[in-house]
Amino acid sequence: MGKISGIAYLTSRWIRRQPLWLVQDAFMIVGFALIMFVWGGITGLKNVFVAWFISGAWGMGINLVAQSIGWDKQHRVMDMFIAAPVKPWHYVFGYFLPGLIFVAVDLMFMLPLIAYLNAWNILLASLVAVAPLLITGTLLGLVIVMRIKKATNISAITNPLQMILVILPPVFYPAQLIPLNIRYFVLLIPTAAGAELARQLAGLSTWHNLWYPVAVLVAWVIIGILASAKMVKWGLE
Amino acid sequence: MSVIARHMAKKYAGKIWGARDIDFEAENGKITVLLGPNGAGKTTTVGLLSTLLRPTKGEALIDGYSTVREPWKVRERIALCPQDIKVDMNWTPWDAVKGYLMVRGYSREEVMERGEKYLRSMELWDVRTRPSIRLSGGQRKRIAVAMVLASGAPVIFLDEPSSGLDVEARYVVWKSLREEAKNGKVIVLTTHDMREAEMLGDQIVMISGGNSVAKGTPEELRKIIPYAYKIVVKNPENMTGRADIDFGDRKIIYAKTRDEALEIMENIKAESVALEEVTLEDVYLHVMGGENGKN
């Protein structure tokens, strides 16, 4: 535990010294909630809860954790941890834990609304969908950043990957709007499958096909584990 | 405790050899300096010893444990300060040392005690709460050195620890390294700075083209070169004889004995003619066989 807390201590310094990132995050939540309420009323507001958790989990994995580790690798700080009694999972967890501060801030701002709307089922459903997305995002992000040779490509690759997979697929809008034959293809995208799983569990979707997003997410977790096991090397390269 | 490199070689992707035949042993209580020009294979050697790289041939043993077969046993015993490390701009010196000591398993009290000791030894105590973005390049480099020295690891690898440091900062690092060696640590560091090698090294391993080409104490290495003296000539007027090293208006001539040197000097007319004993730099040029080296 000391190893993880040591790495978490080091990796949380930037949040402590640059707290405005948390303020930005909080304003984004309020802003999106307002937009969704203005256009979609209470239903829109409920859907933004799901979308926010999904995009937050995906962003935390592929962007926050993986990108930070990518920079660590480029700056040779990772080499110090490889040449020390630190296991790869200590290291990844050490990066993962400080990221939860963002989740906590998101929750802090959402909780009054969730309580007001009595939308606890949405919160629980979203958290179920968030778990596989966090794992998949982190592992796939690691696979990408550990193979990047040029430092400037880290953000250039992971930022669009985070944004595109949240904005384009049905995350902020329901998958049931997409024709059924195309919907199956679209829901192969992990963020779309996560959002659909949360909506179905929370009763926000009129499409009842729970096994499909579950199967897709399980497959992505397996792909993430296999790809990272094969491609992410902890020294001895 | 010892570090043994047995005929290590490393071939990177693209069939580029980072090391071809590196063979030496480093003992506890001594500083072993890996000396060589840029691209000689020093960083690759440190990477092989510190479990970052897998040797293509040969092996490395740390305290008898193989870096390939027993990397976790090795990692418990080592600490590495990589070349060109950039500590996070948000870390203060205190953050960096505290976090790294937590990672290395020290208790809260030990972290406080060791943290203070090593930040003081690196002369960073007064700036311990200042984020590294507000520190000089030399201070940032010393943060990384403080981290590895504070780790208490019995084997410490430092890849060019004093590159980019000014004279005073370099002396601060040297002093701490000598103290750590005195306390029984095995210290292996790389440099291309002759003076650093001469000042710090109990043992010097010269590396060229991926091969360890010479090793020994500075005194032993000086005996490799078949000359004991060198004549440094400035602005020669009538020098028609040999010049072993030619810098245009500065020339160096080597001599086996003092008498031979004095005899050569009698026949030279120049702005200045100085007689010096050979140094590690002369050995280096001799061993490396560079453009101006005398083989």
Side-chain angles (χ1 to χ4, degrees), chain B residues 236 239 243-253 291-292:
Chain B
M239 212 175 119
D244 296 318
I245 297 177
D246 193 339
F247 299 126
D249 59 354
R250 305 280 192 283
K251 298 179 196 305
I252 293 174
I253 305 157
E291 193 184 345
N292 292 316

Side-chain angles (χ1 to χ4, degrees), chain B residues 174-193:
Chain B
W174 288 358
K175 187 181 169 202
S176 293
L177 293 179
R178 285 300 334 162
E179 275 172 21
E180 290 300 309
K182 207 170 134 191
N183 292 334
K185 300 274 168 67
V186 183
I187 297 179
V188 178
L189 70 86
T190 71
T191 187
H192 49 73
D193 181 338

Side-chain angles (χ1 to χ4, degrees), chain A residues 2-3 5-7 9-11 13-18 72 74-88 95 234-237, chain B residues 10 50-54 67 71-72 75-76 78-80 82-86 89-92 95-96 98-100 102-104 131 144 147-148:
Chain A
K3 293 181 177 71
S5 58
I7 290 165
Y9 174 82
L10 287 170
T11 55
R13 296 302 89 190
W14 74 273
I15 301 171
R16 193 183 159 195
R17 301 236 147 69
Q18 299 178 52
D72 237 18
Q74 298 291 335
H75 290 161
R76 310 292 309 273
V77 173
M78 185 188 278
D79 289 351
M80 286 186 87
F81 292 121
I82 293 172
V86 175
K87 298 265 166 64
Y95 267 89
W234 191 248
L236 293 175
E237 287 190 69
Chain B
K10 176 68 184 173
S50 59
T51 76
L52 299 184
L53 298 173
R54 181 185 293 274
T67 54
W72 293 109
R75 286 166 179 162
E76 282 167 13
I78 63 171
L80 165 72
Q83 187 184 13
D84 301 329
I85 183 169
K86 292 190 183 91
M89 64 179 181
N90 294 294
W91 295 357
T92 65
D95 289 337
K98 180 183 173 184
Y100 192 62
M102 286 164 74
V103 168
R104 302 290 309 205
M147 288 164 80
V148 296

